[in-house]
Amino acid sequence: MSQYYLGKLLELLPVILLSGGVCLFLRWRTGEALFSGRGIPVLLFTCYMTGLIALTAFPSNFWTHLWYTMRQRQPSGIEFRWFTFQYWLIPDFWQNFGLENLGNLLLYLPFGFLLPLVWARGRGWRTPAAGFALSLCVETLQLFIDRSFDINDLILNTVGGAAGWLLFLLFQWALSSLGRKPGGNFRISS
């Protein structure tokens, strides 16, 4: 199962790196500092959101099909079903908490941590609420793209986003005890 997730990450890596490159180019083009101030959190959030959207807002075999077709110059034979309207509305993730459930929990952890770094108004209750709203949008979209709406995913994604926000608060507290401000000047130095 872990090979499956590693394979998915490798399929998405070119898209994530491309979005990071575009983000860096746009920051350079506008004269903003690339790796100081909010540059690093913005870059990380851009790459994270690109990966999240690429992973969840497309049919499950979309990237496999795309890379195969580009590499082999012929269709992969994968067929996509649209408008499947599959849904699971009974929460039962605690009965058999496996790798997929852990993945759903960890998937939104970076969202909860990075959003307050790039959006100052997201430092309060808005971050967990935004995590819930984003997860709800993704799960609803999945009704139409050969995937399913799963209440377990919605709950675990929301908990993951809230846990990321709690980690941000811990990070904020640690930095304030050192006299620094989150989202302020991050420096890479030795």
Side-chain angles (χ1 to χ4, degrees):
M1 185 63 108
S2 61
Q3 290 178 341
Y4 171 79
Y5 290 111
L6 179 61
K8 285 294 178 191
L9 176 64
L10 291 175
E11 284 180 356
L12 300 176
L13 198 55
V15 178
I16 293 169
L17 292 175
L18 179 64
S19 74
V22 169
C23 179
L24 287 173
F25 174 76
L26 292 175
R27 290 186 67 80
W28 171 77
R29 177 88 186 207
T30 59
E32 295 181 54
L34 298 180
F35 296 111
S36 65
R38 290 183 40 211
I40 293 174
V42 167
L43 175 65
L44 291 174
F45 190 72
T46 300
C47 290
Y48 165 74
M49 286 302 294
T50 301
L52 180 70
I53 291 167
L55 180 66
T56 59
F58 290 90
S60 56
N61 290 326
F62 176 81
W63 298 103
T64 304
H65 170 74
L66 177 70
W67 300 133
Y68 180 89
T69 302
M70 288 175 62
R71 189 175 60 241
Q72 301 296 327
R73 296 190 179 150
Q74 64 182 3
S76 68
I78 295 173
E79 295 182 18
F80 301 113
R81 297 177 322 196
W82 302 95
F83 307 107
T84 56
F85 296 107
Q86 295 178 5
Y87 53 89
W88 311 102
L89 300 177
I90 300 173
D92 62 355
F93 60 88
W94 61 85
Q95 293 176 349
N96 188 16
F97 196 88
L99 191 58
E100 182 178 350
N101 290 332
L102 180 62
N104 280 316
L105 189 69
L106 296 176
L107 187 63
Y108 276 68
L109 196 89
F111 182 84
F113 185 84
L114 293 172
L115 184 65
L117 290 174
V118 299
W119 183 44
R121 292 184 62 193
R123 294 195 178 164
W125 59 271
R126 288 182 177 101
T127 296
F132 169 76
L134 178 61
S135 182
L136 181 62
C137 288
V138 165
E139 289 299 319
T140 303
L141 173 67
Q142 288 181 352
L143 284 169
F144 303 98
I145 59 166
D146 195 18
R147 298 183 83 158
S148 64
F149 181 102
D150 190 342
I151 195 71
N152 295 308
D153 293 354
L154 180 63
I155 293 168
L156 293 169
N157 293 343
T158 303
V159 169
W165 176 62
L166 292 174
L167 284 174
F168 167 78
L169 292 177
L170 183 63
F171 175 71
Q172 184 180 33
W173 173 81
L175 284 182
S176 67
S177 68
L178 295 173
R180 296 188 178 160
K181 180 180 175 186
N185 291 329
F186 287 101
R187 292 197 178 113
I188 301 174
S189 61
S190 53

